[in-house]
């Protein structure tokens, strides 16, 4: 499995976040401690309506590959989507998150769980970021980019990832707001970069 972190920070508070504080230690730690408590279940109403500054952590568990299936490791991890928890068999441990997506979760499920909130928050004056962490082969690229190989698949393929879906959501919402109130102007700038082994590549 891998970890997805959803970060939303009000833009008017961003200067406070990056300001150095030599007397009180790390600003990032201070911000994390001051963040509002997150709900324990992805079905919580607070998860859907809270617009405050927040950091939320989700986990997505991918299906087993052929090698793992032959090794009979299926029972080593149990996903509890209702409680937002992951249980390990050996050694017995449990971890709770703001949301958990099991093997059967679709790309649309991922987007609906937190992608729509991040996109909508960006249009409401928040700096929204999504980070994914995990081992090679855990499904990070698939979740973010998806199995897209053409412009058409980026718009319509059910396997398209978060990037395509969030951009589609933002531009559709901008168009809707423009038709509702033509006096509002929006400026969009997009870049697609790869950072690998301390080298930056413009994709």
């Amino acid at each position: 499995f891998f970890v997805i972190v959803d970060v939303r920070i009000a833009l008017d508070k961003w200067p406070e976040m990056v300001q150095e504080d030599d007397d009180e230690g790390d600003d990032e730690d201070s911000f994390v401690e001051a963040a509002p408590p997150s709900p324990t279940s992805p079905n919580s109403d607070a998860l859907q309506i809270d617009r405050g500054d927040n950091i939320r952590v989700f986990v997505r568990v991918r299906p087993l590959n052929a090698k793992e299936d032959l090794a009979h490791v299926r029972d080593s991890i149990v996903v509890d989507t209702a409680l937002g928890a992951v249980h390990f068999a050996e050694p017995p441990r449990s971890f709770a998150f703001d949301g958990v997506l099991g093997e059967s979760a679709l790309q649309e499920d991922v987007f609906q769980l937190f992608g729509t909130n991040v996109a909508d928050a960006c249009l409401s004056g928040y700096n929204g970021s999504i980070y994914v962490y995990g081992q090679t082969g855990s499904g990070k690229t698939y979740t973010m980019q998806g199995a897209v190989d053409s412009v058409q698949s980026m718009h319509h393929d059910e396997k398209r990832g978060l990037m395509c879906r969030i951009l589609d959501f933002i531009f559709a919402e901008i168009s809707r707001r423009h038709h509702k109130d033509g006096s509002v102007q929006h400026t969009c700038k997009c870049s697609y970069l790869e950072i690998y082994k301390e080298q930056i590549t413009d994709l």
Side-chain angles (χ1 to χ4, degrees):
F1 66 90
F2 66 96
V3 178
I4 307 168
V5 182
D6 158 19
V7 181
R8 287 177 293 164
I9 303 170
L11 293 181
D12 59 352
K13 294 185 180 180
W14 185 254
E16 302 174 11
M17 293 294 304
V18 299
Q19 184 178 11
E20 294 184 358
D21 188 346
D22 295 332
D23 298 330
E24 298 298 333
D26 194 337
D27 283 338
E28 183 179 359
D29 292 340
S30 300
F31 171 70
V32 172
E33 293 173 0
S38 299
T40 58
S41 170
N43 298 320
S44 169
D45 292 336
L47 182 63
Q48 303 299 327
I49 64 176
D50 178 27
R51 291 296 186 84
D53 299 341
N54 221 331
I55 298 177
R56 295 189 173 113
V57 181
F58 302 85
V59 166
R60 186 179 190 183
V61 179
R62 64 161 173 77
L64 299 179
N65 58 36
K67 182 178 180 181
E68 293 164 342
D69 206 10
L70 289 173
H72 304 291
V73 298
R74 182 170 298 278
D75 295 332
S76 62
I77 181 172
V78 177
V79 175
D80 189 336
T81 56
L83 295 178
V86 176
H87 308 285
F88 292 90
E90 294 294 337
R93 291 177 297 174
S94 295
F95 299 92
F97 302 91
D98 292 301
V100 175
L101 294 149
E103 298 179 24
S104 61
L106 304 175
Q107 296 284 67
E108 179 66 16
D109 298 330
V110 180
F111 176 65
Q112 291 298 330
L113 180 59
F114 62 88
T116 53
N117 289 338
V118 173
D120 193 44
C122 288
L123 294 170
S124 300
Y126 288 77
N127 178 49
S129 301
I130 297 175
Y131 303 90
V132 292
Y133 300 90
Q135 294 179 328
T136 299
S138 59
K140 302 183 301 298
T141 301
Y142 177 78
T143 296
M144 292 299 296
Q145 181 176 306
V148 294
D149 54 9
S150 67
V151 175
Q152 289 74 20
S153 62
M154 292 175 66
H155 286 282
H156 306 293
D157 197 312
E158 63 180 14
K159 294 183 179 180
R160 61 188 181 140
L162 277 172
M163 292 190 297
C164 299
R165 293 173 186 272
I166 288 177
L167 288 173
D168 191 31
F169 178 94
I170 290 175
F171 285 116
E173 183 63 18
I174 288 175
S175 178
R176 187 191 69 80
R177 295 186 183 187
H178 180 73
H179 285 91
K180 183 179 180 180
D181 184 2
S183 63
V184 179
Q185 299 293 322
H186 295 83
T187 300
C188 298
K189 296 181 180 180
C190 297
S191 59
Y192 191 16
L193 306 175
E194 176 188 65
I195 304 176
Y196 181 67
K197 291 186 178 180
E198 301 182 0
Q199 302 232 347
I200 301 177
T201 303
D202 189 342
L203 301 176

